[in-house]
Amino acid sequence: MINDIEIIKTKTSKINEVDFDNLKFGSVFSDHMLECNFKDGKWQAPKVLPYQPIVLDPSAKIFHYGQSIFEGMKAYKDVDENVWLFRPLDNFKRLNISAKRLAIPELPENYFMDGLKALLEVDQEWIPKKDGSSLYIRPFVFASGNGFHASPADEYKFIICTAPSGAYFAGEVRVLIEEKYSRSANGGVGFAKAGGNYAGQFYPTQLAIDKGYQQVIWTDDNTHEYIEEAGAMNIFIRINDTLITGPTSDRILDGITRKSIIELAKKEGINVEVRKITVSEVVEAAKNGSLKEMFGAGTAAVISPIAGFGYKDADYELPKLDETYASFLKKRITDIQTNKAEDIFGWRYQV
Amino acid sequence: MINDIEIIKTKTSKINEVDFDNLKFGSVFSDHMLECNFKDGKWQAPKVLPYQPIVLDPSAKIFHYGQSIFEGMKAYKDVDENVWLFRPLDNFKRLNISAKRLAIPELPENYFMDGLKALLEVDQEWIPKKDGSSLYIRPFVFASGNGFHASPADEYKFIICTAPSGAYFAGEVRVLIEEKYSRSANGGVGFAKAGGNYAGQFYPTQLAIDKGYQQVIWTDDNTHEYIEEAGAMNIFIRINDTLITGPTSDRILDGITRKSIIELAKKEGINVEVRKITVSEVVEAAKNGSLKEMFGAGTAAVISPIAGFGYKDADYELPKLDETYASFLKKRITDIQTNKAEDIFGWRYQV
């Protein structure tokens, strides 16, 4: 049921200009967007509008004080053209967890869910049908209120844009375990999907790229002895037949793919440990051959296998296994997402 | 010498609508702004334009990944209507230090300095003459390039806006020494003037305000035993007749007011110590009466005295002295800034 959402449709659809067989990630945008404004102390009714530029005063606080949060989601079309989301209420809840930490007013659930459904209905032709493709959904909120005073804004914009995207394939990923830079502090905003968390990663990542790696493995800022995240993803490490991931904290994002993998792996009889992982045990496991797999987990790539890692001027290769937890779990999770397999967890959500 | 800067003047000045006797901080903006765009791999020539809205695609990376930095400066008019800046090259250098850490392309010095001078020339009538007032200058750079990929943008905007501002007076400031939240990580971006550093402070500051304080004293994220910053300012603590401030680090901003105060105080014969300060020594000094002053230091307020602090459910009052280092140093520094005193340091910069 979509109530009370005003819809203004575009007069000039761009859909015929799009090559749906050759989609990249997040670079072509659908015809419409959802917009919802916070002003006069409350969120105003959301509207579906033609995708259009955002106009802001130069003093808008987003430009100066980084007050912004976002989410990443996907919509899938099955063979019968039914449209599915994956655990969307978890994205909604996390958006509000991020909002609170960034002093952004929390959103009403119906504005988020009904707004999203209205947008997907209007742009349903933009949801790719090709296997592996999906409609990437980007809800975001930022400070649109004005003034140079370093304090929370009095106005915000909540927007959802969507981008039809092909299968995310990063190629062979080699990672560098970070010994100097950090993405988050104890008592900081690392657990939130705050814009500033990502900007801070770009320079250290560029340094790793310059050394021949594709991504950084983040470690704790105090000792750099604990493995925390893989680039902008959560990280899983398989030692022998045990799958290990770090516990969430105020430094680590509570990833929806991460927690789905934990549940799914346990259900499939894989031994899963959620505990702190030290760099030294991973290096030791690589040396003695018990390190079988490492992979990142996140909405965009779902699971991104890691082929090797660098640490303290040494490089370690991971074995090339015929059957990996990564590919097994990725197939299981995407089959649930795309309505190809039974969903005993109740994760799938029909639009 | 201002070369090659295109100037497009407004046809409708707003200056007659402004009450220069009752200016707040950073809420009225001058007629013009400087704009300089990074595209095709380089910074394009800056232009002075009428103050105007910024138009961005919803996928512009500033909205999603927090890639933004800024500076704060002031221009002063002396009794002869000469216009003065304070150590502007230090702001320029720090902007580029911030840029590097946030993976933003560094700016050429002449674009910054000549652009700023051109802007101040066009808007010279906006520089307040009233004692204590100044033209607050806000240079900022943000990612204007598009796309949902979490990587540095390919386009940026460097903008300078100015705002005539009255004397910054915060009233009696009581601060809460933070035991849970943090503003920066080792190896993070705390030393940079990155937007995200400020957004992360808003929520803990609001919690402090709810408890009856006006501001937070930030401590290190690992132990919360070391005093690092005061809100968005550097912090100075006077114990007996010694003035103490923490050393700069990757967590602490290299404040221009901070380093000016250190030099000035030394020159005036005050014993200055730049070293780590523990919360426990400040509490102990408050208890035994040796804690004489605490104050924040930054461009907006110059020096902001602290009247008392809270820590672990106890409150500590600072003595009310007739003569304080805070007021003495504030007068000395503002006299230099406004060309009322000799500038033996060469800090003043005539436009």
Short mmCIF file of all heavy atoms in Angstrom, two decimals, chain B residues 122-169:
data_model
loop_
_atom_site.label_atom_id
_atom_site.label_comp_id
_atom_site.label_asym_id
_atom_site.label_seq_id
_atom_site.Cartn_x
_atom_site.Cartn_y
_atom_site.Cartn_z
N VAL B 122 36.62 43.07 -4.76
CA VAL B 122 35.26 43.27 -5.26
C VAL B 122 34.29 43.53 -4.11
O VAL B 122 33.39 44.37 -4.22
CB VAL B 122 34.81 42.04 -6.09
CG1 VAL B 122 33.33 42.13 -6.43
CG2 VAL B 122 35.64 41.93 -7.36
N ASP B 123 34.47 42.79 -3.01
CA ASP B 123 33.54 42.91 -1.88
C ASP B 123 34.12 43.70 -0.71
O ASP B 123 33.75 43.46 0.45
CB ASP B 123 33.11 41.51 -1.41
CG ASP B 123 31.95 40.96 -2.23
OD1 ASP B 123 31.25 41.77 -2.89
OD2 ASP B 123 31.74 39.73 -2.21
N GLN B 124 35.00 44.68 -1.00
CA GLN B 124 35.66 45.37 0.11
C GLN B 124 34.70 46.14 1.00
O GLN B 124 34.95 46.31 2.19
CB GLN B 124 36.76 46.30 -0.41
CG GLN B 124 36.30 47.32 -1.44
CD GLN B 124 37.50 48.10 -2.00
OE1 GLN B 124 38.12 48.89 -1.30
NE2 GLN B 124 37.83 47.84 -3.26
N GLU B 125 33.56 46.56 0.43
CA GLU B 125 32.59 47.28 1.26
C GLU B 125 31.93 46.38 2.31
O GLU B 125 31.26 46.84 3.23
CB GLU B 125 31.51 47.92 0.38
CG GLU B 125 32.02 49.06 -0.50
CD GLU B 125 32.75 50.13 0.31
OE1 GLU B 125 32.23 50.53 1.37
OE2 GLU B 125 33.85 50.54 -0.11
N TRP B 126 32.09 45.07 2.11
CA TRP B 126 31.49 44.10 3.04
C TRP B 126 32.35 43.85 4.27
O TRP B 126 31.91 43.18 5.21
CB TRP B 126 31.24 42.78 2.32
CG TRP B 126 30.06 42.83 1.39
CD1 TRP B 126 30.05 43.25 0.09
CD2 TRP B 126 28.71 42.46 1.70
NE1 TRP B 126 28.78 43.17 -0.43
CE2 TRP B 126 27.94 42.68 0.54
CE3 TRP B 126 28.07 41.97 2.84
CZ2 TRP B 126 26.56 42.42 0.49
CZ3 TRP B 126 26.71 41.70 2.79
CH2 TRP B 126 25.97 41.93 1.63
N ILE B 127 33.56 44.38 4.26
CA ILE B 127 34.44 44.16 5.43
C ILE B 127 34.05 45.14 6.51
O ILE B 127 34.17 46.35 6.33
CB ILE B 127 35.93 44.32 5.05
CG1 ILE B 127 36.26 43.43 3.83
CG2 ILE B 127 36.83 44.00 6.24
CD1 ILE B 127 37.64 43.70 3.22
N PRO B 128 33.56 44.66 7.64
CA PRO B 128 33.05 45.57 8.67
C PRO B 128 34.17 46.43 9.27
O PRO B 128 35.32 46.00 9.34
CB PRO B 128 32.47 44.63 9.74
CG PRO B 128 32.36 43.30 9.11
CD PRO B 128 33.42 43.24 8.06
N LYS B 129 33.79 47.63 9.68
CA LYS B 129 34.79 48.54 10.28
C LYS B 129 34.69 48.53 11.80
O LYS B 129 35.60 48.95 12.48
CB LYS B 129 34.54 49.97 9.78
CG LYS B 129 34.89 50.16 8.30
CD LYS B 129 34.15 51.35 7.71
CE LYS B 129 33.97 51.16 6.22
NZ LYS B 129 32.91 51.97 5.64
N LYS B 130 33.57 48.09 12.30
CA LYS B 130 33.32 48.17 13.74
C LYS B 130 34.31 47.31 14.52
O LYS B 130 34.63 46.19 14.13
CB LYS B 130 31.89 47.68 14.01
CG LYS B 130 31.38 48.02 15.40
CD LYS B 130 29.95 47.52 15.57
CE LYS B 130 29.49 47.74 17.00
NZ LYS B 130 28.16 47.16 17.22
N ASP B 131 34.76 47.84 15.64
CA ASP B 131 35.72 47.14 16.48
C ASP B 131 35.19 45.76 16.88
O ASP B 131 34.05 45.64 17.33
CB ASP B 131 35.99 47.99 17.73
CG ASP B 131 37.42 47.80 18.22
OD1 ASP B 131 38.32 47.68 17.37
OD2 ASP B 131 37.62 47.76 19.44
N GLY B 132 36.02 44.76 16.68
CA GLY B 132 35.61 43.39 17.03
C GLY B 132 34.95 42.65 15.88
O GLY B 132 34.84 41.43 15.90
N SER B 133 34.48 43.41 14.88
CA SER B 133 33.88 42.77 13.72
C SER B 133 34.95 42.42 12.68
O SER B 133 36.05 42.95 12.72
CB SER B 133 32.85 43.69 13.06
OG SER B 133 31.77 43.92 13.93
N SER B 134 34.60 41.55 11.78
CA SER B 134 35.53 41.19 10.70
C SER B 134 34.74 40.52 9.58
O SER B 134 33.55 40.24 9.72
CB SER B 134 36.60 40.21 11.23
OG SER B 134 35.97 39.04 11.70
N LEU B 135 35.43 40.32 8.47
CA LEU B 135 34.81 39.55 7.39
C LEU B 135 35.31 38.11 7.54
O LEU B 135 36.50 37.83 7.35
CB LEU B 135 35.22 40.12 6.03
CG LEU B 135 34.50 39.48 4.84
CD1 LEU B 135 33.04 39.93 4.78
CD2 LEU B 135 35.21 39.80 3.53
N TYR B 136 34.42 37.23 7.92
CA TYR B 136 34.80 35.82 8.02
C TYR B 136 34.90 35.25 6.61
O TYR B 136 34.03 35.48 5.77
CB TYR B 136 33.77 35.04 8.85
CG TYR B 136 34.17 33.59 9.03
CD1 TYR B 136 35.13 33.23 9.97
CD2 TYR B 136 33.61 32.59 8.25
CE1 TYR B 136 35.52 31.90 10.12
CE2 TYR B 136 33.98 31.27 8.39
CZ TYR B 136 34.95 30.93 9.33
OH TYR B 136 35.32 29.62 9.48
N ILE B 137 35.99 34.53 6.35
CA ILE B 137 36.26 34.00 5.01
C ILE B 137 36.23 32.48 5.07
O ILE B 137 36.90 31.88 5.91
CB ILE B 137 37.66 34.47 4.53
CG1 ILE B 137 37.70 36.01 4.46
CG2 ILE B 137 38.00 33.85 3.17
CD1 ILE B 137 39.11 36.56 4.31
N ARG B 138 35.45 31.89 4.19
CA ARG B 138 35.33 30.43 4.20
C ARG B 138 35.74 29.82 2.85
O ARG B 138 34.94 29.72 1.94
CB ARG B 138 33.89 30.05 4.54
CG ARG B 138 33.54 28.57 4.38
CD ARG B 138 34.43 27.64 5.19
NE ARG B 138 34.41 27.82 6.61
CZ ARG B 138 33.58 27.23 7.45
NH1 ARG B 138 32.66 26.41 7.01
NH2 ARG B 138 33.66 27.45 8.75
N PRO B 139 37.01 29.45 2.71
CA PRO B 139 37.41 28.67 1.53
C PRO B 139 37.01 27.21 1.76
O PRO B 139 37.19 26.68 2.85
CB PRO B 139 38.94 28.80 1.51
CG PRO B 139 39.29 29.82 2.56
CD PRO B 139 38.17 29.80 3.54
N PHE B 140 36.47 26.56 0.74
CA PHE B 140 36.15 25.13 0.88
C PHE B 140 36.26 24.42 -0.46
O PHE B 140 36.16 25.05 -1.51
CB PHE B 140 34.79 24.91 1.55
CG PHE B 140 33.59 25.50 0.84
CD1 PHE B 140 32.69 24.67 0.16
CD2 PHE B 140 33.34 26.86 0.86
CE1 PHE B 140 31.56 25.19 -0.47
CE2 PHE B 140 32.22 27.40 0.23
CZ PHE B 140 31.33 26.56 -0.44
N VAL B 141 36.50 23.14 -0.39
CA VAL B 141 36.66 22.31 -1.58
C VAL B 141 35.83 21.05 -1.37
O VAL B 141 35.86 20.46 -0.29
CB VAL B 141 38.13 21.89 -1.80
CG1 VAL B 141 38.30 21.22 -3.16
CG2 VAL B 141 39.09 23.07 -1.65
N PHE B 142 35.09 20.66 -2.38
CA PHE B 142 34.31 19.44 -2.24
C PHE B 142 34.22 18.69 -3.57
O PHE B 142 34.41 19.26 -4.64
CB PHE B 142 32.91 19.75 -1.69
CG PHE B 142 32.04 20.54 -2.62
CD1 PHE B 142 31.25 19.92 -3.57
CD2 PHE B 142 32.03 21.93 -2.55
CE1 PHE B 142 30.45 20.65 -4.44
CE2 PHE B 142 31.24 22.67 -3.41
CZ PHE B 142 30.45 22.04 -4.36
N ALA B 143 33.90 17.39 -3.46
CA ALA B 143 33.80 16.50 -4.62
C ALA B 143 32.49 16.76 -5.35
O ALA B 143 31.42 16.46 -4.82
CB ALA B 143 33.86 15.05 -4.15
N SER B 144 32.57 17.30 -6.55
CA SER B 144 31.37 17.58 -7.35
C SER B 144 31.18 16.54 -8.45
O SER B 144 30.14 16.53 -9.11
CB SER B 144 31.46 18.98 -7.96
OG SER B 144 32.67 19.13 -8.67
N GLY B 145 32.17 15.67 -8.66
CA GLY B 145 32.05 14.62 -9.68
C GLY B 145 31.00 13.59 -9.29
O GLY B 145 30.69 13.42 -8.12
N ASN B 146 30.50 12.88 -10.28
CA ASN B 146 29.34 12.01 -10.10
C ASN B 146 29.68 10.53 -10.03
O ASN B 146 30.73 10.10 -10.52
CB ASN B 146 28.36 12.22 -11.26
CG ASN B 146 27.90 13.66 -11.35
OD1 ASN B 146 27.93 14.39 -10.36
ND2 ASN B 146 27.48 14.07 -12.53
N GLY B 147 28.75 9.75 -9.49
CA GLY B 147 28.86 8.29 -9.50
C GLY B 147 28.84 7.69 -8.11
O GLY B 147 29.38 8.27 -7.17
N PHE B 148 28.23 6.50 -8.00
CA PHE B 148 28.08 5.85 -6.69
C PHE B 148 29.29 5.00 -6.31
O PHE B 148 29.28 4.36 -5.26
CB PHE B 148 26.83 4.97 -6.68
CG PHE B 148 25.55 5.74 -6.69
CD1 PHE B 148 24.38 5.15 -7.17
CD2 PHE B 148 25.48 7.04 -6.22
CE1 PHE B 148 23.18 5.84 -7.17
CE2 PHE B 148 24.28 7.75 -6.22
CZ PHE B 148 23.13 7.14 -6.70
N HIS B 149 30.30 4.94 -7.16
CA HIS B 149 31.47 4.15 -6.80
C HIS B 149 32.23 4.85 -5.68
O HIS B 149 32.49 6.04 -5.75
CB HIS B 149 32.38 3.96 -8.02
CG HIS B 149 33.30 2.80 -7.87
ND1 HIS B 149 34.53 2.90 -7.26
CD2 HIS B 149 33.17 1.50 -8.21
CE1 HIS B 149 35.12 1.72 -7.26
NE2 HIS B 149 34.32 0.84 -7.82
N ALA B 150 32.57 4.10 -4.63
CA ALA B 150 33.26 4.69 -3.48
C ALA B 150 34.74 4.89 -3.79
O ALA B 150 35.60 4.10 -3.39
CB ALA B 150 33.08 3.80 -2.25
N SER B 151 35.02 5.95 -4.52
CA SER B 151 36.39 6.28 -4.92
C SER B 151 36.46 7.80 -5.10
O SER B 151 35.42 8.45 -5.18
CB SER B 151 36.73 5.57 -6.23
OG SER B 151 35.79 5.92 -7.22
N PRO B 152 37.66 8.36 -5.14
CA PRO B 152 37.76 9.82 -5.27
C PRO B 152 37.03 10.32 -6.53
O PRO B 152 37.01 9.63 -7.55
CB PRO B 152 39.27 10.07 -5.38
CG PRO B 152 39.90 8.88 -4.74
CD PRO B 152 38.99 7.73 -5.04
N ALA B 153 36.45 11.50 -6.43
CA ALA B 153 35.74 12.08 -7.57
C ALA B 153 36.74 12.52 -8.64
O ALA B 153 37.93 12.68 -8.38
CB ALA B 153 34.92 13.29 -7.09
N ASP B 154 36.22 12.72 -9.85
CA ASP B 154 37.07 13.25 -10.92
C ASP B 154 36.86 14.75 -11.12
O ASP B 154 37.55 15.37 -11.92
CB ASP B 154 36.87 12.48 -12.23
CG ASP B 154 35.42 12.50 -12.68
OD1 ASP B 154 34.56 13.05 -11.95
OD2 ASP B 154 35.13 11.98 -13.77
N GLU B 155 35.89 15.32 -10.39
CA GLU B 155 35.69 16.78 -10.45
C GLU B 155 35.47 17.33 -9.03
O GLU B 155 34.89 16.66 -8.18
CB GLU B 155 34.47 17.12 -11.33
CG GLU B 155 34.69 16.69 -12.78
CD GLU B 155 33.61 17.21 -13.73
OE1 GLU B 155 32.66 17.88 -13.27
OE2 GLU B 155 33.74 16.94 -14.94
N TYR B 156 35.98 18.57 -8.84
CA TYR B 156 35.88 19.23 -7.53
C TYR B 156 35.55 20.69 -7.73
O TYR B 156 35.83 21.26 -8.79
CB TYR B 156 37.21 19.12 -6.76
CG TYR B 156 37.57 17.69 -6.44
CD1 TYR B 156 38.23 16.90 -7.39
CD2 TYR B 156 37.20 17.11 -5.23
CE1 TYR B 156 38.52 15.57 -7.12
CE2 TYR B 156 37.50 15.77 -4.96
CZ TYR B 156 38.16 15.02 -5.91
OH TYR B 156 38.44 13.70 -5.66
N LYS B 157 34.98 21.30 -6.71
CA LYS B 157 34.78 22.75 -6.70
C LYS B 157 35.52 23.34 -5.51
O LYS B 157 35.38 22.86 -4.38
CB LYS B 157 33.29 23.10 -6.57
CG LYS B 157 32.52 22.99 -7.88
CD LYS B 157 31.09 23.48 -7.71
CE LYS B 157 30.30 23.24 -8.97
NZ LYS B 157 30.70 24.10 -10.11
N PHE B 158 36.32 24.36 -5.79
CA PHE B 158 36.93 25.18 -4.74
C PHE B 158 36.19 26.51 -4.75
O PHE B 158 36.09 27.17 -5.79
CB PHE B 158 38.42 25.40 -5.05
CG PHE B 158 39.06 26.53 -4.31
CD1 PHE B 158 38.94 26.65 -2.93
CD2 PHE B 158 39.80 27.49 -4.99
CE1 PHE B 158 39.54 27.71 -2.24
CE2 PHE B 158 40.41 28.56 -4.32
CZ PHE B 158 40.27 28.66 -2.94
N ILE B 159 35.63 26.85 -3.61
CA ILE B 159 34.81 28.07 -3.51
C ILE B 159 35.28 28.87 -2.30
O ILE B 159 35.67 28.29 -1.28
CB ILE B 159 33.32 27.68 -3.40
CG1 ILE B 159 32.84 27.12 -4.76
CG2 ILE B 159 32.45 28.86 -2.96
CD1 ILE B 159 31.45 26.58 -4.76
N ILE B 160 35.26 30.18 -2.44
CA ILE B 160 35.44 31.04 -1.25
C ILE B 160 34.21 31.91 -1.12
O ILE B 160 33.84 32.63 -2.06
CB ILE B 160 36.69 31.94 -1.33
CG1 ILE B 160 37.95 31.12 -1.61
CG2 ILE B 160 36.86 32.73 -0.02
CD1 ILE B 160 39.24 31.96 -1.69
N CYS B 161 33.55 31.83 0.03
CA CYS B 161 32.46 32.74 0.37
C CYS B 161 32.91 33.57 1.56
O CYS B 161 33.78 33.15 2.32
CB CYS B 161 31.22 31.97 0.79
SG CYS B 161 30.51 30.99 -0.50
N THR B 162 32.32 34.72 1.73
CA THR B 162 32.65 35.54 2.89
C THR B 162 31.37 35.99 3.59
O THR B 162 30.32 36.10 2.98
CB THR B 162 33.48 36.78 2.50
OG1 THR B 162 32.66 37.66 1.71
CG2 THR B 162 34.72 36.39 1.70
N ALA B 163 31.52 36.25 4.89
CA ALA B 163 30.36 36.61 5.71
C ALA B 163 30.78 37.66 6.73
O ALA B 163 31.59 37.36 7.61
CB ALA B 163 29.83 35.37 6.43
N PRO B 164 30.27 38.89 6.62
CA PRO B 164 30.58 39.89 7.64
C PRO B 164 30.04 39.42 8.99
O PRO B 164 28.90 38.98 9.07
CB PRO B 164 29.86 41.15 7.15
CG PRO B 164 28.79 40.65 6.23
CD PRO B 164 29.30 39.38 5.63
N SER B 165 30.90 39.46 10.00
CA SER B 165 30.52 38.85 11.27
C SER B 165 30.88 39.77 12.44
O SER B 165 31.92 40.42 12.43
CB SER B 165 31.24 37.51 11.44
OG SER B 165 30.81 36.60 10.43
N GLY B 166 30.02 39.77 13.44
CA GLY B 166 30.28 40.56 14.64
C GLY B 166 31.25 39.83 15.54
O GLY B 166 31.71 38.73 15.25
N ALA B 167 31.58 40.46 16.65
CA ALA B 167 32.47 39.83 17.62
C ALA B 167 31.82 38.53 18.08
O ALA B 167 30.62 38.47 18.36
CB ALA B 167 32.71 40.76 18.81
N TYR B 168 32.63 37.49 18.15
CA TYR B 168 32.15 36.16 18.52
C TYR B 168 32.20 36.08 20.03
O TYR B 168 33.25 36.09 20.64
CB TYR B 168 33.09 35.14 17.89
CG TYR B 168 32.60 33.72 17.90
CD1 TYR B 168 32.09 33.14 16.74
CD2 TYR B 168 32.66 32.94 19.06
CE1 TYR B 168 31.67 31.83 16.73
CE2 TYR B 168 32.23 31.63 19.05
CZ TYR B 168 31.74 31.08 17.89
OH TYR B 168 31.32 29.77 17.88
N PHE B 169 31.03 36.03 20.64
CA PHE B 169 31.00 35.94 22.10
C PHE B 169 30.12 34.79 22.51
O PHE B 169 28.92 34.77 22.24
CB PHE B 169 30.49 37.25 22.71
CG PHE B 169 30.46 37.21 24.21
CD1 PHE B 169 31.64 37.12 24.94
CD2 PHE B 169 29.25 37.23 24.88
CE1 PHE B 169 31.60 37.07 26.33
CE2 PHE B 169 29.21 37.17 26.28
CZ PHE B 169 30.39 37.09 27.00
#
